[in-house]
Amino acid sequence: RPPRAIVMGVALAEASGDGDPLLAPLEGFGDAVCCEAVDGAAMSTVEFDRRYLAKAFPAVLRGLTDGWAAMEEGGSRRWDLDFFRREYGELPVQVDAGGDTFGARRQLTMAEYIDAFDDLTAAAEEAGASPPPYLRTWNYEDEVPELGSDWSTPALFRDMFQALPPVARPPFTWLFLCPRGATTRLHVDVWHTDAWLVNALGRKRFVLFHPAQRKYIEDGQGFVDLRSPDLERFPDLAKATPVEFVLGPGEIAYIPRKWPHFAVALEPSVSLTVNFACKASMRDVLPLAKRYAKRRSMCEDMLGRTLKASDNLLKFCVHGGELNVEIAASILKMKRDELLRQAGADEADGNDGDALSG
């Protein structure tokens, strides 16, 4: 268990203070334990590496956002809802539809989305309703790169991606904006990278599981739905021990590689997430970065321009998998056979010519 672990039921009651249903104990599990909270400003990189990064052990870190414009109370760049409505209200954003329609999105302006928060939360709190729509994994650097000047990476999170050529650096910096009740379902982060996440506004409840416990919470079809667990499909849930915490404004969560995790917003929230490669994970991550660089170089050469983080083709470069050859050839404005040759798809005959594997 984490250092100074406590039974989480007490900690959650203290965090809510009013019986908040979003802080209720998880159905099907036994006692949870609390993640350790530490003073990050007083910790050296050597100590953080030794205690957390090398061991892939989660932590909540405080004192690391001092001096950020995004966190300056009363400042003109303070990341609250008024700031995003005022500065970017007319900006079109793609919002996840919410509920079980994972991947389905609809376009709203930033102001339309923020102004609907109260109504979205009220609808989601009706009996049997799905969580509200969520502006998640927004690669803001494409459209409003100036937001990157409002924060800086804490020294504790040395990112080995930055030592790679630019073409091999994946676009793993995202903003999340949402009303109360928005959820991120249980998942493992891209490329099994480590992540640090800061709440600029609001509080979120996080639930994590050690990778060794995935056998209790995952089957061939995916992870358990923590909002409504199927106890017949996952009969061993009680054998898994959740690690939980509530992340407040200005606090940073370190989410280790390969740890499944879930989050729910307890209040309207603005969060920043950066996935990074540390020394301990580079052996696993570097081959993926090389494959990403190869795919990206091919696509950019064919398009004649730099890919944006929001481009569907860049998502293919990151995740690989299969891409319909005809669609890819149309996007790249080239012949199907030439695309397969350029991609080095030596398994093309094995997929009946329907998809490009990466």
Side-chain angles (χ1 to χ4, degrees):
R1 287 190 171 195
R4 299 194 296 277
I6 62 172
V7 175
M8 195 61 199
V10 175
L12 287 179
E14 293 174 348
S16 67
D18 58 0
D20 188 340
L22 294 182
L23 288 168
L26 297 174
E27 181 184 354
F29 295 90
D31 286 339
V33 296
C34 185
C35 184
E36 185 178 27
V38 296
D39 182 358
M43 187 175 296
S44 69
T45 56
V46 173
E47 183 182 7
F48 183 71
D49 285 355
R50 177 179 58 83
R51 291 177 60 179
Y52 300 102
L53 277 178
K55 298 177 181 178
F57 203 81
V60 172
L61 300 139
R62 295 168 176 156
L64 295 178
T65 61
D66 294 345
W68 288 14
M71 295 303 303
E72 182 184 355
E73 291 297 338
S76 62
R77 302 289 300 178
R78 174 71 172 95
W79 283 12
D80 54 24
L81 298 183
D82 287 339
F83 167 75
F84 283 95
R85 184 190 293 106
R86 180 181 71 248
E87 297 294 327
Y88 307 111
E90 299 303 313
L91 182 70
V93 291
Q94 297 292 324
V95 179
D96 275 9
D100 297 323
T101 55
F102 188 78
R105 299 198 171 198
R106 56 173 169 155
Q107 182 170 293
L108 300 169
T109 66
M110 181 71 76
E112 287 173 338
Y113 179 53
I114 291 174
D115 290 342
F117 273 17
D118 288 345
D119 290 340
L120 293 173
T121 294
E125 290 179 345
E126 295 290 333
S130 297
Y134 199 166
L135 174 52
R136 69 173 85 241
T137 58
W138 175 30
N139 292 110
Y140 68 86
E141 293 168 306
D142 285 345
E143 299 158 306
V144 284
E146 65 271 16
L147 289 174
S149 300
D150 296 338
W151 61 275
S152 59
T153 300
L156 299 183
F157 305 113
R158 292 178 293 180
D159 187 358
M160 304 300 288
F161 283 136
Q162 299 308 309
L164 300 177
V167 72
R169 299 175 195 166
F172 289 171
T173 299
W174 297 286
L175 269 177
F176 296 72
L177 283 82
C178 66
R180 167 182 161 82
T183 63
T184 298
R185 64 183 185 177
L186 196 62
H187 69 287
V188 172
D189 276 355
V190 60
W191 290 8
H192 290 166
T193 47
D194 297 76
W196 62 270
L197 181 150
V198 61
N199 258 11
L201 177 73
R203 299 180 305 145
K204 285 183 176 178
R205 177 189 185 180
F206 283 82
V207 182
L208 290 72
F209 294 90
H210 190 282
Q213 298 190 343
R214 287 181 66 165
K215 58 188 176 183
Y216 305 131
I217 60 173
E218 182 184 23
D219 62 14
Q221 301 177 48
F223 286 104
V224 63
D225 180 356
L226 294 184
R227 297 180 296 112
S228 181
D230 185 337
L231 300 183
E232 291 186 3
R233 179 179 162 193
F234 298 97
D236 294 325
L237 283 187
K239 296 180 181 180
T241 301
V243 178
E244 300 194 36
F245 56 90
V246 172
L247 194 71
E251 295 181 330
I252 291 180
Y254 164 57
I255 309 292
R257 54 200 174 273
K258 302 182 182 180
W259 280 62
H261 51 283
F262 162 93
V264 58
L266 306 178
E267 300 163 355
S269 297
V270 178
S271 304
L272 171 76
T273 295
V274 178
N275 284 74
F276 66 100
C278 66
K279 185 177 180 180
S281 67
M282 277 303 287
R283 178 175 295 183
D284 294 329
V285 171
L286 187 57
L288 298 172
K290 289 180 177 178
R291 293 176 64 187
Y292 164 77
K294 178 181 177 181
R295 297 186 195 108
R296 179 171 179 171
S297 293
M298 179 194 72
C299 292
E300 290 184 342
D301 286 347
M302 297 304 166
L303 282 175
R305 67 169 177 83
T306 300
L307 287 175
K308 296 180 179 180
S310 56
D311 283 334
N312 286 330
L313 275 178
L314 194 56
K315 292 178 173 61
F316 168 69
C317 295
V318 168
H319 298 290
E322 295 186 341
L323 183 69
N324 182 280
V325 173
E326 281 69 29
I327 293 177
S330 174
I331 293 172
L332 295 173
K333 294 181 171 51
M334 61 188 300
K335 294 181 179 180
R336 174 185 178 281
D337 291 345
E338 174 65 10
L339 174 61
L340 291 174
R341 187 185 69 79
Q342 291 287 343
D346 54 6
E347 294 182 2
D349 290 341
N351 60 27
D352 298 325
D354 292 332
L356 177 66
S357 297

